[in-house]
Amino acid sequence: MTVPDEGEVVTYEVRDGVAVVTLNRPDYRNAQNSVMTYALDAAFERAVEDDDVKVIVLAGNGKHFSAGHDIGTPGRDHHVHYENKAVMWWDHVDKVGGDQRFAREMEVYLGMCRRWREIPKPTIAMVQGACIAGGLMLAWVCDMIVASEDAFFSDPVVRMGIPGVEYFAHPWMVGPRFAKEMLFTGDRFTSQRAYEVGMVNKVVPRDDLEKETFAIAERISAMPRLGLALTKKAVNQSEDQMGMRNGMDSVFGLHHFAHAHNAEVGADSLGGQNAKSMAAGAKAPEGRTK
């Protein structure tokens, strides 16, 4: 299968000790295919290895941060081989059914997100516009989230009959009750609501998003590098002691049971849904049009 050449799907630059890693598929609302996933991993690795980089900012080019996993663009690439970086498992390309889905999603979704969560340098997600499903996964692996007032969030994959995205951090990111609300309804919620439930650190006007994000990055950069790395590890370990890693493992099994059920009783593993039908089913945040 040939994947269209879209140029640099992730860009990288360093500004005064801050690495800026930018998702760069704006024509597709930065939907994540494997080309982007591995380019993103390479950019993060580059930032980790550069001793002059103190903080990493994850951004999205264009109107939206990320509309989630690629389930319908010309660049979708389920059958393209990439060297495993996150987990030690066989390649998915020549496998079928659940074997293919499990191998691929454990590597490029759950595994990669866990790998990025463990980056020893502070990471900040700079979010505008849509941050949907797989976009949440990218924002959630970051240590902080700064969102613009026009940002909106959702995980609508229950419409597929699937209990949330593969990196199932919902109860730890927004609390159990709001996790159920966002999953049960599939509705979008505003950056202000995300701030109220503790998911977002700061909400700022769209025009001030970059300035405010870099102001935080500059303050963090003044702290000792090792101290930051150890503090990050301490908080992550505490989250895991509260069950996050084990919870994700258990839900990953439910996730794949749902895929298998869909494939057995319907036309495909996504419950017959596609990007258009998923977007059409979303309710806009209060006071905002879709």
Side-chain angles (χ1 to χ4, degrees), residues 26 30 42 69 74 96 108 125 152 208 218 228 231-232 253 261 268 274-275 287-288:
N30 294 320
H69 295 144
V96 295
V108 300
F152 58 92
D208 296 337
E218 183 179 359
L228 288 168
T231 301
K232 176 170 181 171
H261 175 75
D268 57 46
N274 56 39
R288 184 170 300 161

Side-chain angles (χ1 to χ4, degrees), residues 221-287:
S221 296
M223 302 293 266
R225 183 184 64 174
L226 182 58
L228 288 168
L230 294 177
T231 301
K232 176 170 181 171
K233 192 169 186 65
V235 176
N236 284 358
Q237 287 179 165
S238 297
E239 279 187 317
D240 288 339
Q241 289 294 319
M242 291 187 280
M244 190 165 89
R245 186 176 184 89
N246 288 340
M248 283 185 187
D249 284 338
S250 66
V251 178
F252 193 66
L254 297 175
H255 183 100
H256 280 274
F257 170 73
H259 273 315
H261 175 75
N262 286 342
E264 185 170 338
V265 303
D268 57 46
S269 65
L270 301 182
Q273 296 286 331
N274 56 39
K276 185 174 291 187
S277 66
M278 292 290 283
K283 180 181 176 182
E286 185 177 348

Side-chain angles (χ1 to χ4, degrees), residues 137-214:
M137 292 166 54
L138 297 184
W140 283 348
V141 300
C142 293
D143 302 305
M144 299 179 67
I145 301 173
V146 180
S148 61
E149 291 172 340
D150 69 343
F152 58 92
F153 307 85
S154 75
D155 183 1
V157 302
V158 177
R159 292 197 191 98
M160 298 176 175
I162 296 171
V165 290
E166 296 82 357
Y167 185 80
F168 192 85
H170 309 61
W172 294 270
M173 297 297 107
V174 301
R177 292 199 183 278
F178 189 70
K180 291 176 182 177
E181 178 183 332
M182 67 178 285
L183 289 166
F184 289 176
T185 66
D187 290 344
R188 300 172 178 179
F189 55 99
T190 64
S191 52
Q192 180 59 35
R193 182 62 172 143
Y195 176 79
E196 290 168 357
V197 297
M199 190 187 101
V200 163
N201 295 88
K202 195 168 187 179
V203 178
V204 300
R206 177 69 180 88
D207 290 343
D208 296 337
L209 179 61
E210 186 170 315
K211 179 186 71 175
E212 294 288 345
T213 302
F214 277 83

Side-chain angles (χ1 to χ4, degrees), residues 62-109:
K63 185 178 179 180
H64 301 286
F65 176 74
S66 176
H69 295 144
D70 188 345
I71 60 172
T73 83
R76 193 181 186 209
D77 56 0
H78 279 209
H79 304 290
V80 178
H81 168 73
Y82 292 90
E83 180 182 358
N84 285 0
K85 297 289 291 287
V87 297
M88 185 65 72
W89 201 263
W90 50 70
D91 184 35
H92 70 281
V93 171
D94 61 348
K95 308 302 184 293
V96 295
D99 194 356
Q100 181 192 83
R101 283 191 298 272
F102 186 81
R104 183 175 191 271
E105 293 191 359
M106 185 168 55
E107 165 69 11
V108 300
Y109 296 154

Side-chain angles (χ1 to χ4, degrees), residues 19-71:
V20 186
V21 177
T22 305
L23 311 174
N24 192 36
R25 299 184 77 207
D27 292 343
Y28 302 110
R29 301 200 301 171
N30 294 320
Q32 305 156 40
N33 58 10
S34 290
V35 178
M36 175 180 281
T37 297
Y38 284 89
L40 189 57
D41 187 69
F44 283 145
E45 188 171 320
R46 182 177 175 183
V48 169
E49 292 179 350
D50 185 347
D51 281 344
D52 292 331
V53 168
K54 308 301 182 186
V55 179
I56 302 167
V57 169
L58 177 62
N61 186 20
K63 185 178 179 180
H64 301 286
F65 176 74
S66 176
H69 295 144
D70 188 345
I71 60 172

